[in-house]
Amino acid sequence: ESLMRAVVAVAALLAWSVCGVCGVCAGCAVVPAVSHRLAARPDHALHFADLRELWTITGAGFEVAYDDDGVTLTGGPGALVVALDDANYRVHVDADVEKGGNSGVFLRGGPGIWFPKGIEVQIDPADPKNPTGSLYGRVRSRAPIPPADTWFTIDALARGNHVEARINGVESGAVDDAPPDGPIFGLQAHYPGSVVHFRGLSLESLP
């Protein structure tokens, strides 16, 4: 797994060295600025069915397979992203990462290399520093870590500078220094070999 991470990192560096400034090609700056934003009202949550034709697929080397109420992401690096018109919202989604996989849910994201820049609720039961439920690089998960190949729930809330996450109903972490207005929400496909399933998405603006 460490070798795979190193290979992905080198590939990202090489892609950036080839271009590095355009902000549009799938091989370098893969999450461009998004002008069109979707509304997730308190009285009308957005679900996978609402977003199926609206996701932006970023990055390279991953596959997207939809079913009736979800999506499977295979490979990476990349992400499914969408821009929201309200930075204050709650999200619920069920996830199941297969053994050896790595994924995440991005909140308050902005343009970035391969993935959005913002707060990531990590999905990787094998990562000792940032296991599933961690706010990646900020807070290590305090919730019990769901094993691979097991469905679990992610609930997250973003209001002002505050972002918090729960795994299977147990708070896993919170921060009070989140970007206040990043519009991008995303689901990550981290690296080759990763397989992650999502279902039951609900995005709802806070009143």
Side-chain angles (χ1 to χ4, degrees):
E1 180 178 328
S2 60
L3 177 60
M4 183 63 71
R5 291 176 189 266
V7 170
V8 170
V10 171
L13 180 61
L14 289 174
W16 179 246
S17 68
V18 171
C19 176
V21 296
C22 73
V24 294
C25 82
C28 58
V30 301
V31 186
V34 180
S35 58
H36 178 66
R37 301 188 182 190
L38 302 176
R41 303 192 308 271
D43 59 342
H44 179 73
L46 296 173
H47 304 283
F48 273 121
D50 302 306
L51 299 175
R52 182 164 180 168
E53 305 300 325
L54 301 173
W55 294 106
T56 297
I57 300 174
T58 70
F62 82 102
E63 298 178 359
V64 180
Y66 294 100
D67 58 30
D68 290 342
D69 185 38
V71 66
T72 295
L73 308 182
T74 302
L80 285 182
V81 300
V82 67
L84 305 174
D85 70 349
D86 190 344
N88 298 310
Y89 57 86
R90 62 169 57 94
V91 57
H92 169 91
V93 70
D94 302 332
D96 172 13
V97 63
E98 297 188 10
K99 185 177 181 180
N102 180 305
S103 182
V105 175
F106 288 101
L107 308 141
R108 292 286 177 77
I113 308 303
W114 301 108
F115 316 118
K117 292 181 179 179
I119 304 295
E120 178 190 355
V121 182
Q122 170 79 323
I123 301 175
D124 185 351
D127 186 337
K129 292 184 178 180
N130 295 279
T132 299
S134 300
L135 302 184
Y136 191 90
R138 295 169 176 260
V139 178
R140 190 184 189 278
S141 179
R142 299 188 288 265
I145 310 303
D149 302 299
T150 302
W151 283 101
F152 63 94
T153 64
I154 298 174
D155 290 280
L157 178 146
R159 187 194 295 272
N161 293 108
H162 180 80
V163 170
E164 65 183 55
R166 293 179 176 271
I167 300 296
N168 288 332
V170 179
E171 183 174 312
S172 60
V175 296
D176 290 304
D177 60 350
D181 56 1
I184 295 176
F185 170 81
L187 304 175
Q188 182 192 56
H190 194 278
Y191 51 63
S194 288
V195 180
V196 60
H197 312 277
F198 294 99
R199 68 185 183 193
L201 174 68
S202 176
L203 274 167
E204 182 180 353
S205 178
L206 296 174

